[in-house]
Amino acid sequence: MPKLTINGMEIEVESGTSVLQAAEMLGIEIPRFCYHDRLSVPANCRMCLVEVKGAPKPVASCAMAVGDGMEVTTNSEVIQKARKGVMEMMLINHPLDCPICDQGGECDLQDQAYGYGFDRSRYRETKRAVKNKDIGPLIKTVMTRCIQCTRCVRFGEEIAGTADLGLLNRGEDVEIGTFVEKAVSSEMSGNMIDICPVGALTSKPYAFHARPWELKKTESIDVHDAVGSNIRVDSRGGEVMRVLPRLHEGINEEWINDKTRFAYDGLKTRRLDTPYIRNAQSGKLEKASWDEALNTVAEKLKSTSPEKIAAFAGDLVDVESTLALKDLMNGLNVSNTECRTDGAFVNTDTRASYLFNTGIEAIEEADAIILVGTNPKHEAALVNARIRKTWLSKRVPIALIGAPVDLPYPYEHLGSSAESISKLTKAFAKKLGAEKPMIIVGDQIFNRSDASALHTQLRNAAHKMGCVQEGWNGFNILHRHAGRVGALDVGFTATQPINVGDMDVVYLMNSDEESILSDCSDGSLVIYQGHHGDAAAHRADVILPGAAYTEKNATYVNTEGRVQLGKQSVFPVGDAKEDWKIVKALSNRLNVELPYLTLIDLRERMSREWPHFDKIDALPNETWPDDMMTGKEKASNCLKSPFKLSIENFYTTNVIARASKTMQECVEAFTKTKPQKKAAE
Amino acid sequence: MKPKFEPNAKYQPKEFSFKSKKKIKDILANYPSNQARSAIMPLLDLAQREVAAVGAKEKKPYGGWIPRAAMDEIANIVGQPPIKVYEVATFYSMYNLAPVGKYLVQFCTTTPCWLCGSTKILEAAEAHLNIKMGESTKDGLFTLMEVECLGACVNGPMVQINDDYYEDLTPENIVSVLESLAAGKKPTVGSQTKRKGSMAITGPTSLEAEAKKAGVV
């Protein structure tokens, strides 16, 4: 391992490390624009110049690999002068519009100009101007501000896998563009806003809304998919102004998908801000007080026999309120509780049978990946990004069983139905001799009558391929809903499918599933506890307004089984309340004792019964019992019909996204254009 | 400067297909199959030459240029997104991205040629063809374009017309070069003052014996 000195400090690093990275390890900050940890190194901004003893002139530290005995100086006068020169060059064509630029206050160029800029310009000629590009409803472009670092180009090429942007022309005329006017069609495109070091690419929905120093930052968890991306919710007053990613190497690295980032405007529209009760005469929903609404519900629950009551926990529920609802229903002797509202009856024998056991980070270790009945691009864009990263770094072979989809990496299509699963075990894995194969199963494929046979067959296939071994469990279920795994963890499941039509009372917590709503009989009382006036609120007889994910402290479990805490950023709108408190208030009226008064009590109750809720942010290592092999059903019981995909439109998968204007614009802009044929290299 | 690429302009043909499949195969064979994008440059050149070959026989515009459809086709051939081809094509001045005349006259106006009087050469050509720099003649025969140094400084001023250099120009002999091209004749390529290579006008100043032996003096 080469040893080098930087500013007189000695450090030993792995060979292949760049001087910039070595300096960073020593805590020496080197300014940079084009260099980004997760992207390739073009070394075109020249801001990271350092002096290396023996080299005739300053070198770009980002592209300079360390050598043994290298002596590097990062703070000499020569370097200061060189960086000042680079900065001056960059500012020649950069407009002085910081006061009206959205990047102001969090701009790399602005910050570094404080260290290396001049207080006046020597440039007297006219600045060049570049035409702004229209690249869709999410990213606003002010191309005159661009310093041609090409981070966005490399992001598109390397991370997102859709090379739409490029660096065109040369010299004075050089510009970033798509050339042929088109929207940047990637569900990860919002990240270009974050990596742009200047104000060339900024958020269109957030434009001119707030300044970074006015915002209250809350570190929270995303609920738009089951990945559980770590996010930072920026709010001002009672309003969520924007959502940004937060670094988590195990889950989302430093990216988030566009729905996570831009659907927040859905939190401000179509909200349920007061309880409603349907007037029996007029058939219309009328505003009510909490007392009236809760009493109506309590009376009906009291007068109905337990087998005529059903409770459903939907896509966005948190663990606390699911558990409170479960305790309440248990207190009423109701056994019809179900969280798999879409009918995707994933097996719940052990925790390992419904988790993404490998973990998202460990995808990078896999040497063969088989996707079954899933479109990771839509269901978990960040898992998809991780698969692409793995494919880019070692060209891992990838196969798909199910509906063929457009993915940013090449894959072998093995078939569309359950029949192909046995084919894959023989052919695909053996051919490759994979040591760490992994199989990723979309939870939606269990939305069929053969769910249990399918699960058996998949487990057998996983075993035969060697997916499960000491220290490696390559059997993964990819969930789509943030609330699902947590609800499965606390056992919010029924032993048999619930016949909704038979029920007199249907309690929907955050569940807007059309199939349940259409099954509700006319005479039944439908109670909807949720935060958006979507399909369920339309059908409901009583509405109990709850809090959205930015408005409550709540626990979520992601598809890996990782327990994470979402934090409250703003208060619930109007009279809406935190969901577990609504259930608690209801329990008081039903004389069912829920043994907790505070959230802390409730969390203690959770971790007493399920100790894994104590281990926040820990990747579970669930045991895989040997009897998982012995399936109860034969593979031949599987249906022949092809697997279907449930998400037709990435941008409108839940109530928040459906209420979001930005997401509607995305639907207009992206889903109506033809998808790209080929993946980028 | 070369004309700007206008992907949606009226003159852009809707479709493009290469005439010679064999040449494509030969070009691709030069590179490893996982590095097919290296073939973008020779394929762009091939497209430009094929357009020129057709243009010389058929309708206006006459010269070689690369339509957008050709770039998309190349992207398809090498398995890259079209933007990767656009990037390369817009970078290099030798790829024409808009129709040009049958004879693309590229004037070197960089310092050495300029010192030797390239401005006068240009004025003579402009007056003769009755067009300005960057324009094409109505008959589609000539386009004038300004370029940076073409590396023939010793024999400046000079122009490049399609693939050939014409050096040691004067306001008179540039006109005669253009005239003979317009008449369909092939003027002498290289020095217009019968200078051998880049030898000094007064004859060799060094290696005289060798020059005699080679018969260039």
Side-chain angles (χ1 to χ4, degrees):
Chain A
M1 293 216 297
K3 213 182 252 183
L4 71 161
T5 51
I6 305 177
N7 295 352
M9 287 182 275
E10 199 163 86
I11 185 173
E12 200 176 339
V13 293
E14 286 197 29
S15 61
T17 313
S18 68
V19 173
L20 186 142
Q21 286 167 323
E24 213 149 67
M25 285 174 208
L26 282 171
I28 301 166
E29 203 179 316
I30 294 180
R32 86 288 302 263
F33 292 109
C34 72
Y35 175 82
H36 191 280
D37 295 345
R38 288 169 216 281
L39 301 174
S40 60
V41 180
N44 58 12
C45 76
R46 315 311 287 181
M47 195 61 197
C48 64
L49 293 174
V50 296
E51 228 181 335
V52 177
K53 200 174 176 188
K57 51 183 183 177
V59 295
S61 61
C62 66
M64 185 71 158
V66 293
D68 203 27
M70 215 177 224
E71 282 176 47
V72 182
T73 322
T74 70
N75 51 6
S76 63
E77 225 166 90
V78 175
I79 288 307
Q80 191 74 10
K81 205 177 158 210
R83 288 181 188 164
K84 276 192 164 183
V86 171
M87 177 57 79
E88 189 178 17
M89 168 90 175
M90 239 171 258
L91 292 177
I92 279 180
N93 277 321
H94 192 82
L96 260 179
D97 62 353
C98 301
I100 55 148
C101 174
D102 261 326
Q103 192 86 351
E106 50 185 6
C107 173
D108 288 359
L109 189 65
Q110 199 179 32
D111 294 350
Q112 289 174 35
Y114 275 97
Y116 302 98
F118 292 94
D119 58 351
R120 70 206 66 199
S121 175
R122 295 188 287 171
Y123 189 70
R124 294 284 169 267
E125 291 75 14
T126 43
K127 293 191 177 215
R128 81 179 191 138
V130 183
K131 214 179 143 209
N132 292 344
K133 313 287 184 294
D134 181 9
I135 54 173
L138 301 178
I139 303 175
K140 181 188 158 194
T141 63
V142 184
M143 295 320 279
T144 305
R145 293 177 189 149
C146 177
I147 56 169
Q148 288 86 39
C149 71
T150 69
R151 275 187 188 178
C152 52
V153 177
R154 284 173 284 141
F155 177 86
E157 233 178 290
E158 292 161 24
I159 310 282
T162 50
D164 290 326
L165 290 172
L167 189 70
L168 302 158
N169 304 323
R170 71 172 167 184
E172 175 78 359
D173 300 309
V174 75
E175 56 181 282
I176 300 278
T178 51
F179 227 126
V180 182
E181 196 106 314
K182 67 177 200 175
V184 174
S185 59
S186 160
E187 57 297 313
M188 300 275 284
S189 65
N191 295 301
M192 287 179 190
I193 296 164
D194 287 343
I195 58 170
C196 181
V198 295
L201 306 181
T202 52
S203 167
K204 212 175 229 176
Y206 172 71
F208 307 132
H209 277 64
R211 284 303 201 179
W213 56 85
E214 308 170 326
L215 300 171
K216 188 184 90 179
K217 287 118 184 148
T218 315
E219 304 199 331
S220 190
I221 301 299
D222 172 54
V223 298
H224 287 94
D225 55 28
V227 173
S229 298
N230 284 216
I231 53 168
R232 195 184 90 193
V233 179
D234 284 5
S235 60
R236 188 179 61 186
E239 207 182 341
V240 175
M241 299 309 290
R242 63 172 177 181
V243 172
L244 294 177
R246 189 153 60 85
L247 183 71
H248 193 305
E249 292 293 349
I251 303 173
N252 55 316
E253 299 182 272
E254 59 189 86
W255 320 119
I256 49 174
N257 68 47
D258 287 353
K259 194 165 38 178
T260 304
R261 185 186 299 267
F262 292 110
Y264 64 86
D265 65 333
L267 294 167
K268 296 164 205 167
T269 50
R270 286 206 235 159
R271 288 301 300 270
L272 300 170
D273 55 356
T274 175
Y276 285 91
I277 301 174
R278 195 174 291 278
N279 187 315
Q281 269 97 48
S282 68
K284 286 203 174 113
L285 283 169
E286 286 173 0
K287 283 187 184 180
S289 69
W290 270 109
D291 266 338
E292 287 164 355
L294 289 172
N295 286 338
T296 311
V297 175
E299 272 161 36
K300 184 75 181 175
L301 283 172
K302 260 187 219 164
S303 62
T304 311
S305 67
E307 61 272 18
K308 290 282 186 189
I309 301 172
F312 293 95
D315 304 345
L316 304 174
V317 289
D318 54 288
V319 182
E320 284 89 349
S321 38
T322 316
L323 180 59
L325 185 60
K326 187 194 172 194
D327 285 346
L328 175 68
M329 288 300 153
N330 283 354
L332 296 170
N333 291 322
V334 173
S335 59
N336 296 325
T337 55
E338 185 56 84
C339 65
R340 297 166 294 186
T341 50
D342 52 0
F345 291 106
V346 57
N347 181 298
T348 55
D349 288 351
T350 77
R351 209 166 170 244
S353 68
Y354 61 82
L355 291 185
F356 198 96
N357 292 301
T358 315
I360 293 169
E361 193 174 13
I363 291 174
E364 291 175 38
E365 291 170 34
D367 51 9
I369 299 172
I370 294 140
L371 305 166
V372 181
T374 177
N375 178 4
K377 192 171 152 144
H378 286 173
E379 288 154 28
L382 288 147
V383 169
N384 194 46
R386 211 53 99 117
I387 299 175
R388 178 172 161 80
K389 188 180 176 189
T390 313
W391 176 78
L392 266 187
S393 68
K394 54 183 192 187
R395 292 290 188 265
V396 56
I398 297 162
L400 174 84
I401 297 175
V405 284
D406 174 36
L407 294 172
Y409 37 79
Y411 61 83
E412 197 178 327
H413 190 233
L414 294 178
S416 303
S417 67
E419 285 175 312
S420 314
I421 296 173
S422 51
K423 196 164 87 189
L424 119 210
T425 53
K426 284 182 201 126
F428 191 71
K430 263 189 199 159
K431 181 178 77 188
L432 304 165
E435 281 170 9
K436 283 184 167 183
M438 67 188 289
I439 180 166
I440 300 176
V441 182
D443 75 320
Q444 61 204 321
I445 71 164
F446 300 110
N447 185 9
R448 322 192 324 168
S449 57
D450 60 344
S452 130
L454 210 49
H455 202 273
T456 310
Q457 201 190 345
L458 283 164
R459 279 189 317 213
N460 288 344
H463 272 279
K464 278 186 201 152
M465 281 188 336
C467 283
V468 185
Q469 47 184 286
E470 190 64 43
W472 176 261
N473 186 347
F475 181 80
N476 301 295
I477 304 283
L478 184 62
H479 287 270
R480 291 157 297 156
H481 305 304
R484 186 65 55 83
V485 179
L488 290 173
D489 276 355
V490 298
F492 203 85
T493 50
T495 41
Q496 251 131 45
I498 300 165
N499 188 349
V500 182
D502 278 352
M503 297 299 149
D504 286 344
V505 180
V506 180
Y507 196 115
L508 299 169
M509 184 188 262
N510 268 318
S511 174
D512 284 76
E513 197 62 40
E514 291 285 352
S515 58
I516 296 178
L517 293 170
S518 57
D519 283 352
C520 291
S521 65
D522 287 344
S524 63
L525 184 84
V526 178
I527 303 148
Y528 179 64
Q529 178 183 341
H531 40 76
H532 271 82
D534 207 279
H538 196 68
R539 168 64 185 86
D541 298 304
V542 181
I543 290 173
L544 306 174
Y549 71 111
T550 49
E551 294 153 10
K552 57 188 171 190
N553 290 308
T555 306
Y556 298 97
V557 187
N558 80 350
T559 189
E560 301 170 294
R562 198 191 286 266
V563 178
Q564 300 190 101
L565 295 182
K567 298 254 165 61
Q568 180 177 20
S569 164
V570 294
F571 288 103
V573 293
D575 284 341
K577 299 214 182 312
E578 282 183 43
D579 292 87
W580 79 269
K581 286 181 181 163
I582 299 172
V583 179
K584 173 77 184 166
L586 191 58
S587 75
N588 291 342
R589 285 172 171 76
L590 286 163
N591 299 324
V592 175
E593 204 198 330
L594 300 186
Y596 28 80
L597 284 170
T598 63
L599 192 66
I600 295 167
D601 293 346
L602 177 51
R603 285 190 178 155
E604 265 171 25
R605 147 98 180 87
M606 260 158 61
S607 47
R608 231 184 354 261
E609 192 164 343
W610 300 279
H612 67 264
F613 282 115
D614 251 354
K615 297 175 198 128
I616 305 297
D617 198 27
L619 188 65
N621 186 13
E622 295 296 332
T623 46
W624 183 262
D626 291 335
D627 64 346
M628 289 288 269
M629 275 291 285
T630 55
K632 289 157 217 124
E633 293 198 46
K634 283 190 198 133
S636 53
N637 289 353
C638 289
L639 299 175
K640 294 246 159 55
S641 54
F643 297 132
K644 279 191 220 128
L645 293 173
S646 66
I647 299 181
E648 277 168 25
N649 199 327
F650 168 75
Y651 297 101
T652 55
T653 51
N654 61 41
V655 286
I656 302 172
R658 279 196 289 272
S660 158
K661 204 176 137 227
T662 316
M663 291 294 108
Q664 280 308 321
E665 283 168 13
C666 287
V667 172
E668 290 289 316
F670 298 126
T671 54
K672 287 179 184 166
T673 50
K674 250 181 25 194
Q676 253 197 330
K677 265 190 289 180
K678 253 185 172 163
E681 185 69 14
Chain B
M1 236 191 70
K2 70 174 180 179
K4 279 252 170 341
F5 175 36
E6 293 172 62
N8 298 320
K10 268 193 193 143
Y11 54 75
Q12 294 278 4
K14 288 250 156 29
E15 276 168 25
F16 178 91
S17 64
F18 282 98
K19 301 251 155 6
S20 168
K21 301 282 178 261
K22 190 186 169 293
K23 277 187 186 155
I24 295 174
K25 231 175 123 189
D26 290 349
I27 288 169
L28 288 173
N30 291 338
Y31 309 97
S33 59
N34 59 348
Q35 298 292 328
R37 66 189 285 186
S38 305
I40 289 176
M41 292 184 67
L43 286 173
L44 282 169
D45 181 62
L46 181 64
Q48 182 159 313
R49 283 175 197 284
E50 285 196 355
V51 171
V54 173
K57 287 187 204 121
E58 291 168 22
K59 56 184 194 277
K60 287 185 212 172
Y62 289 109
W65 65 288
I66 309 167
R68 174 194 165 184
M71 295 190 223
D72 292 348
E73 174 67 16
I74 290 168
N76 214 359
I77 291 171
V78 299
Q80 288 287 321
I83 189 78
K84 295 283 130 201
V85 182
Y86 303 157
E87 280 183 324
V88 174
T90 56
F91 185 87
Y92 293 100
S93 61
M94 286 153 123
Y95 297 126
N96 303 318
L97 305 181
V100 292
K102 181 178 178 184
Y103 299 106
L104 175 64
V105 189
Q106 303 181 68
F107 278 89
C108 171
T109 53
T110 311
T111 319
C113 281
W114 174 68
L115 284 172
C116 294
S118 64
T119 316
K120 281 192 185 131
I121 313 292
L122 174 61
E123 280 165 2
E126 284 181 339
H128 174 69
L129 298 172
N130 199 22
I131 51 171
K132 292 271 169 236
M133 180 71 90
E135 294 175 350
S136 304
T137 51
K138 285 214 177 92
D139 56 7
L141 272 184
F142 294 100
T143 299
L144 301 184
M145 190 169 115
E146 184 178 14
V147 293
E148 298 306 328
C149 184
L150 290 168
C153 312
V154 176
N155 296 7
M158 58 83 65
V159 298
Q160 182 183 352
I161 303 179
N162 292 353
D163 288 342
D164 298 319
Y165 277 17
Y166 297 87
E167 298 147 2
D168 291 327
L169 296 173
T170 61
E172 292 77 39
N173 62 24
I174 178 71
V175 171
S176 65
V177 167
L178 295 176
E179 270 172 351
S180 58
L181 284 172
K185 281 181 254 167
K186 185 118 178 87
T188 329
V189 174
S191 172
Q192 300 300 306
T193 55
K194 308 221 165 67
R195 182 209 303 233
K196 302 278 184 194
S198 307
M199 193 187 286
I201 299 168
T202 50
T205 53
S206 62
L207 300 172
E208 286 157 36
E210 280 79 0
K212 236 173 218 153
K213 216 191 280 170
V216 290
V217 190

